[in-house]
Amino acid sequence: MALVYKLQAFSSFSVSAQNYNKVTSLITNPICSLHYKSSPFTEKHSIERYQRDRWLYQNQVELSQYQSSSCSLPSESESIREDDIALQLPELKKLLEVLKKKRESCCGNDGDGEKCGPGNVFLVGTGPGDPELLTLKAVKVVQKADILLYDRLVSNDVLELVGPDARLLYVGKTAGYHSRTQEEIHELLLSFAEAGATVVRLKGGDPLVFGRGGEEMDFLQQQGIQVKVIPGITSASGIAAELGIPLTHRGVANSVRFLTGHSRNGGTDPLFVAESSADPDSTLVVYMGLSTLPALALKLMQHGLPANTPAAAVERGTTPQQRTVFAELNDLADKVAREELVSPTLIIIGKVVALSPLWPLSSKEASCLMEAV
């Protein structure tokens, strides 16, 4: 099995006493910062994460004794990440062996060749956060999974739907901290599938929209693993609908474009802003663009998009913690900074934003604005 060989490599180094203490401190004393406490999603060192994944650490610490009063910020060095993985390895190995023996037992009892083959991997989109936006198919798969690898933007409410006997493994990424590299995620998915498990890969939104689901699907299929994709409501449509913003509208916007706001090497400059992105007759939806918003807005205006184009920035859309900032494009970045929006924040830019019943200008002003643009 692929991961077993990877585990041997990881096992070649020992966990330093200093970093062991730091990692176990995170588990027994999760951060109580405001954003972690109020987030509907899985923050990297939140209480919810370690409660769900406690089976991975049961030989190292007693997770029933939580001390939520600790507010110290953890180190996020590469050594801390590697030591956290090292602490998980014994239980990961054990689970793989259990799954392998279970599959061999089934094959030995009834000789059913199909049961001896690899398990299936499901790439499941969980939508923008509201659990009621899940598809029925997604719920059924989530409840039948043996193991689920979940991202940061899978909401805590969605994870409450997981079956009681399933194992959960956090593989989320945030800016500057990847609990698992993409290559490590590939190997985990492959190893559990080869062991015969029903593996579910949970992703926020839709798994094939800025979720790297295509990379995971391609890798697994090359290894002979069957992959089934269960679509989710992508944040663009889910959050826009929540605000009453039609992404396309006759006479106002005849197309919609999804754009990543990611920067190169974590900088403040957006990765790619084409001149065609500044089309006034199109709607632009920017994912992961909070840190690059000032540069993005400037480039769009330089490419010809009017400065008074209606825009909205939505933090944690469709969840009870949703916060929304409406502004014209030239003022959006400043207003977002004043309101201190945090990730995940979706940005919608275009004349259709003024069609929202929540747009702060009067309907007459909004109508005149769209005619002038």
Side-chain angles (χ1 to χ4, degrees), residues 298-309:
L298 181 61
K299 287 188 175 183
L300 289 173
M301 289 185 288
Q302 288 174 344
H303 285 320
L305 196 63
N308 64 345
T309 300

Side-chain angles (χ1 to χ4, degrees), residues 195-208:
T198 298
V199 186
V200 169
R201 177 75 171 99
L202 290 178
K203 294 175 175 288
D206 183 273
L208 302 185

